Amino acid sequence: MADVAPTAAGAPPGGPPLTARALVALLGILISAMMSGLNSRSGALGLSDVRGALGFGSDEASWLNTVYSAGELVAMPFTTWFSITFTVRRFHLYVISISTLIAIALPFVVNLHLLLALRTIQGVSAGALIPLLMMMALRTLPPPIRLHGLALYALTSTFAPNVAIWIVGQWTDVLDDWRLLYWQMIPMALVSAALVAWGLPREPIDWKRFSSINWPALMAGVPGLFLLAVALDQGNRLDWFHSPVISISMAIGSACLVAYGVFEWFHPAPFVKFQLLGRRNLSIGFTIFVLMLIALISGAVLPSSFLASIWGYRALQTAPIGLIIGLPQLIAGSLVAILLYQKWVDARLVLAAGLALIGLSCFRAAQVDSNWIWEQFVPTQLMQAAGQPMAVVSMLFLATSVVHPMEGPHIAGFVNTLRAISSLLGAAMVNRLMEVREHFHSYILVDRFGAIGQSLPSTPDIAALSSAINAQVVTLATADVYRVLGAVAFVLVPLALLMQFVPAPNTTPQRSHQLAPANG
């Protein structure tokens, strides 16, 4: 439970040298992870077009995103165990095939209950693709290039969600075919499957591992995570604990997750090893990770929501907001990795600087007024584009550097579970805060008008007045949310400095320091 010496400068011996085939397989897994992130974000952005085409109401259609997100979360802690058991090659090909076949069928399904079932299964299968990327990066890449692997993983948080806005705009507003929201993944899935099938060797299934599987944790964790996702995603719409659905989901889900944690803690071969949190960089790093992902909602999500509310922008019109952040990430993560390889660089300072940039961008955006269009958000988006890779890559480096290669699967599941929970928790918190502040500002503005309305020289146009008040309410509430998210980012700065110092990795390849093979 004490701090473990950093392993960034070298790892235990054991695996064969990194080969071209392994790199090709890693590229295939990267493509599938990006595809999964894009698929998740596209479903939310294009929901109005899907429900309009299928004739669903907004309330019932909202469950399409909920069950997909719940499926993703359910898959996260258990993916690495099953991928090692069935081998990464076989597991990847199975889940990507399931997800792709469902994507092909989805546009032809008009029954809501069947559609919800298919989206749940697709969420589980697509969500299982993301943890594989971190596991492969930690277990196959030697120290001289491992940070670049973590930079690639960071793209699933900084590139895919932001570029998805432009892509969705192409499908819905340019090509005017909502079915492409589902079919967009097919070409990427085929390429990914081909690369992984060629790059990884055929190996037998390790059936013996099932004799030590933690069945109680699996049985408790699956419903617990699913119900938690339902409560977080539907809470604001159903008015939280005023709804029996949310109350029951939260109560049963919490009980299941407590049981899951207990079963994992005492099992000799857990899916997620909670004891690793005894290492300072992991406990502090994961705390920063969760809160940082909540703060990153200030990137593309919040300005896109503002522009949609004030100006009625659709995805194509708000696309520049996401592209300003997303496109630079193709090189920004690797540039941060190169910086962290310098012996004179302290990764904690890079992390703190990235968080500070995110915080500054939030307080700059808090000056928003109702006349802003996307051009006024450019300075804040540029700060986000620089701050996000600095924060995410540095945090991953500091946290994973105290992890031995054989512990990589435990950490990959842990990180991705936190990532999925943070996205749901952040969205729930921001939506709730927006609603509370909108009610507050609406009351103040309407009350103020009531006080002076009788003294106006003429009777105002009620429709125009209502529209003007609504614009100001949304603007003031958005500014409040920006301030809160900015404060969260700044609070994390001193926390980043409390992490254990990790020296730059050794960039000199050494055969004795090769990592364990990816297939476990």
Side-chain angles (χ1 to χ4, degrees):
M1 296 291 287
D3 283 355
V4 174
T7 62
L18 184 65
T19 65
R21 280 181 174 259
L23 288 176
V24 168
L26 184 60
L27 175 60
I29 291 175
L30 169 64
I31 293 173
S32 65
M34 299 286 283
M35 176 199 74
S36 177
L38 178 62
N39 196 47
S40 177
R41 185 79 175 110
S42 298
L45 291 170
L47 182 61
S48 59
D49 294 271
V50 172
R51 69 179 182 84
L54 299 178
F56 298 142
S58 58
D59 289 338
E60 56 190 1
S62 68
W63 286 94
L64 292 173
N65 285 339
T66 298
V67 296
Y68 185 91
S69 299
E72 280 189 313
L73 181 57
V74 164
M76 296 298 182
F78 311 111
T79 290
T80 53
W81 190 94
F82 283 98
S83 67
I84 293 173
T85 301
F86 290 100
T87 75
V88 173
R89 181 184 188 274
R90 183 179 286 105
F91 182 81
H92 179 274
L93 294 179
Y94 282 167
V95 296
I96 202 171
S97 298
I98 293 171
S99 186
T100 305
L101 290 174
I102 292 175
I104 295 172
L106 281 175
F108 304 105
V109 178
V110 295
N111 180 275
L112 179 61
H113 295 94
L114 178 57
L115 194 58
L116 290 173
L118 291 176
R119 283 292 280 174
T120 303
I121 298 171
Q122 189 183 43
V124 174
S125 57
L129 295 169
I130 299 178
L132 292 180
L133 179 58
M134 172 167 280
M135 188 184 77
M136 286 287 285
L138 290 176
R139 302 192 69 196
T140 64
L141 297 180
I145 60 172
R146 192 188 306 168
L147 283 183
H148 294 285
L150 295 178
L152 292 178
Y153 171 79
L155 290 176
T156 61
S157 297
T158 59
F159 175 79
N162 293 305
V163 175
I165 302 174
W166 178 82
I167 294 176
V168 169
Q170 298 300 310
W171 305 149
T172 59
D173 296 342
V174 177
L175 298 179
D176 195 23
D177 191 344
W178 63 272
R179 297 174 300 177
L180 295 173
L181 294 169
Y182 297 126
W183 290 346
Q184 66 183 353
M185 68 175 291
I186 298 174
M188 291 185 287
L190 294 175
V191 173
S192 173
L195 294 177
V196 171
W198 182 83
L200 294 179
R202 296 177 181 269
E203 295 181 339
I205 298 175
D206 190 358
W207 295 108
K208 294 180 180 179
R209 284 174 58 86
F210 280 98
S211 62
S212 62
I213 188 174
N214 191 353
W215 286 113
L218 183 63
M219 295 298 101
V222 168
L225 292 169
F226 192 92
L227 291 173
L228 175 65
V230 167
L232 291 175
D233 200 59
Q234 290 287 328
N236 202 60
R237 186 181 71 83
L238 298 177
D239 198 19
W240 292 100
F241 294 104
H242 292 95
S243 165
V245 172
I246 302 302
S247 299
I248 293 173
S249 295
M250 191 66 79
I252 298 177
S254 299
C256 288
L257 289 178
V258 170
Y260 166 74
V262 173
F263 292 140
E264 287 284 75
W265 184 271
F266 292 104
H267 198 274
F271 298 104
V272 174
K273 196 171 184 178
F274 289 102
Q275 287 86 345
L276 294 177
L277 291 177
R279 302 174 190 176
R280 176 151 50 111
N281 275 22
L282 287 177
S283 57
I284 297 178
F286 285 169
T287 302
I288 292 175
F289 188 53
V290 170
L291 296 176
M292 176 175 63
L293 289 178
I294 294 175
L296 290 188
I297 292 177
S298 62
V301 175
L302 198 54
S304 297
S305 176
F306 169 81
L307 294 172
S309 298
I310 298 295
W311 300 106
Y313 275 19
R314 286 175 56 81
L316 188 63
Q317 295 165 304
T318 57
I321 292 293
L323 292 177
I324 292 172
I325 297 177
L327 290 181
Q329 306 310 313
L330 293 173
I331 61 171
S334 290
L335 292 177
V336 173
I338 292 173
L339 178 65
L340 295 177
Y341 274 120
Q342 308 307 308
K343 300 299 183 182
W344 51 270
V345 172
D346 187 338
R348 298 174 299 178
L349 297 179
V350 179
L351 171 57
L355 293 169
L357 275 174
I358 295 171
L360 287 173
S361 74
C362 290
F363 281 100
R364 171 67 178 83
Q367 302 174 25
V368 61
D369 65 49
S370 58
N371 294 318
W372 276 29
I373 56 177
W374 73 265
E375 284 91 343
Q376 277 69 53
F377 285 99
V378 170
T380 66
Q381 300 305 94
L382 290 174
M383 285 189 280
Q384 289 273 351
Q388 288 189 17
M390 292 172 64
V392 175
V393 177
S394 299
M395 190 286 302
L396 291 174
F397 165 64
L398 288 166
T400 60
S401 291
V402 297
V403 176
H404 294 287
M406 68 287 295
E407 297 169 333
H410 297 297
I411 292 302
F414 214 151
V415 167
N416 285 280
T417 301
L418 292 176
R419 177 175 176 264
I421 291 177
S422 300
S423 298
L424 292 167
L425 180 62
M429 291 175 58
V430 167
N431 288 335
R432 181 59 179 168
L433 182 58
M434 279 289 295
E435 182 178 297
V436 170
R437 298 308 293 172
E438 283 178 354
H439 287 168
F440 171 79
H441 292 299
S442 177
Y443 173 81
I444 295 297
L445 291 175
V446 171
D447 182 67
R448 182 63 58 86
F449 174 76
I452 66 173
Q454 299 299 324
S455 62
L456 295 176
S458 61
T459 303
D461 183 338
I462 299 300
L465 177 64
S466 177
S467 178
I469 290 179
N470 180 69
Q472 293 305 314
V473 166
V474 172
T475 301
L476 292 170
T478 301
D480 291 342
V481 174
Y482 267 122
R483 293 187 186 99
V484 171
L485 296 181
V488 169
F490 277 121
V491 165
L492 297 180
V493 171
L495 197 59
L497 301 178
L498 293 177
M499 298 184 74
Q500 178 186 2
F501 171 75
V502 177
N506 183 6
T507 56
T508 303
Q510 298 181 26
R511 181 173 298 274
S512 63
H513 286 168
Q514 296 297 337
L515 302 186
N519 289 332

